[in-house]
Amino acid sequence: MDVIGEDAQQRAEDGKSDKKKGSSWKELPILIVVALGLALLIKTFIVQPFYIPSESMENTLLINDRVLVNKLVYHTRDIERGDVIVFNGEDSWDPEVVTEEPTNPVTGALRWVGELFGLVPGEKDYIKRVIGVPGDTVKCCDSKGRVTVNGVPLDETSYLFPGDEPSDRPFEVKVPAGRLWVMGDHRSVSYDSRGHTGDPGGGTIAVDNVLGRAFVIMWPVSRWTSLDIPSTFDQPGLRK
């Protein structure tokens, strides 16, 4: 009797185990959908990973770095000079890195997931440093070859790519309302506001196109660091 009872109990436990395994496989697609939904929600409203596709922000940011972009910060404060921002250049700037359009729905879906988690670059997204905010007069260069904002020279040595000049071409712009003047830290290769002066807005980009502020390098781990505003932008004379 004991043996028969044990066999029946074992069969019952095996049946429960099989049901649990079957249930787990059925729940897996639901869990994946929920995880993607949460990731999309977070990306849309809170924080977004962004893949660095070009050398325009070296050595602050290197190709294949991943940064986190705060999408809430500009709901609580204005965009500031020195911020590293990600913005959408659709219908304005051509992409710095051209990527081929997906040829089928599966490839398109995989690319979408890659953009969602910051594994591939967005086609129309850019990352640059804010040099001038609405109302500023940004000019290059003064007698010492420096960029000036409202007549105040910037000391850019802490973030400018070693050996680069602040600009290889002269310019002077009054930043219109609702616009920003942005430049890459690797000035000799960055196709930034200076290269778009003939476009509508005179090279400036719309504040409304800003997706958020890049605030930390999250990958690779060896390069983890916060992206703080350089001290040169704290000069009182910059404020108007």
Side-chain angles (χ1 to χ4, degrees):
M1 291 290 292
D2 291 340
V3 173
I4 295 174
E6 289 176 1
D7 288 345
Q9 183 178 359
Q10 184 64 44
R11 286 196 298 271
E13 289 178 355
D14 290 343
K16 289 180 181 179
S17 178
D18 291 340
K19 286 182 180 179
K20 285 181 180 179
K21 289 178 181 178
S23 176
S24 297
W25 281 110
K26 290 177 182 178
E27 291 173 358
L28 184 60
I30 298 174
L31 292 174
I32 292 174
V33 171
V34 170
L36 288 174
L38 288 174
L40 180 60
L41 183 67
I42 292 170
K43 173 192 172 183
T44 302
F45 298 106
I46 303 174
V47 66
Q48 175 181 349
F50 182 79
Y51 172 91
I52 305 302
S54 76
E55 48 189 1
S56 68
M57 283 294 293
E58 291 180 341
N59 278 331
T60 304
L61 301 172
L62 306 180
I63 294 175
N64 297 327
D65 280 354
R66 274 74 164 179
V67 299
L68 289 180
V69 178
N70 186 333
K71 305 190 82 169
L72 293 177
V73 63
Y74 296 133
H75 294 285
T76 60
R77 73 163 174 85
D78 292 333
I79 298 171
E80 297 181 6
R81 305 175 194 90
D83 279 348
V84 175
I85 61 168
V86 172
F87 60 95
N88 187 292
E90 191 169 3
D91 299 325
S92 177
W93 290 13
D94 292 331
E96 286 185 309
V97 177
V98 179
T99 54
E100 294 183 5
E101 291 286 340
T103 56
N104 60 66
V106 174
T107 305
L110 290 174
R111 179 171 182 81
W112 179 81
V113 172
E115 290 182 9
L116 183 66
F117 291 99
L119 301 176
V120 296
E123 290 185 64
K124 294 290 185 178
D125 294 342
Y126 301 81
I127 187 163
K128 303 291 181 190
R129 188 180 299 278
V130 177
I131 303 297
V133 296
D136 283 346
T137 297
V138 186
K139 182 179 179 180
C140 193
C141 302
D142 68 2
S143 60
K144 295 184 178 179
R146 299 170 296 186
V147 171
T148 64
V149 178
N150 302 324
V152 179
L154 299 179
D155 179 1
E156 302 189 280
T157 53
S158 67
Y159 57 85
L160 203 63
F161 186 81
D164 271 9
E165 299 294 330
S167 180
D168 58 2
R169 71 197 80 172
F171 64 85
E172 182 172 1
V173 61
K174 173 88 170 186
V175 183
R179 313 285 296 186
L180 302 167
W181 181 267
V182 297
M183 299 172 74
D185 290 353
H186 194 171
R187 299 285 163 79
S188 61
V189 301
S190 178
Y191 191 43
D192 49 39
S193 285
R194 297 167 299 159
H196 295 274
T197 53
D199 296 347
T204 60
I205 60 114
V207 169
D208 290 343
N209 283 2
V210 175
L211 302 178
R213 176 178 181 263
F215 66 98
V216 67
I217 300 173
M218 68 167 183
W219 188 264
V221 175
S222 60
R223 283 185 43 74
W224 187 94
T225 188
S226 58
L227 298 171
D228 302 323
I229 296 177
S231 60
T232 190
F233 293 98
D234 292 333
Q235 299 179 81
L238 292 177
R239 304 186 185 93
K240 297 196 69 177

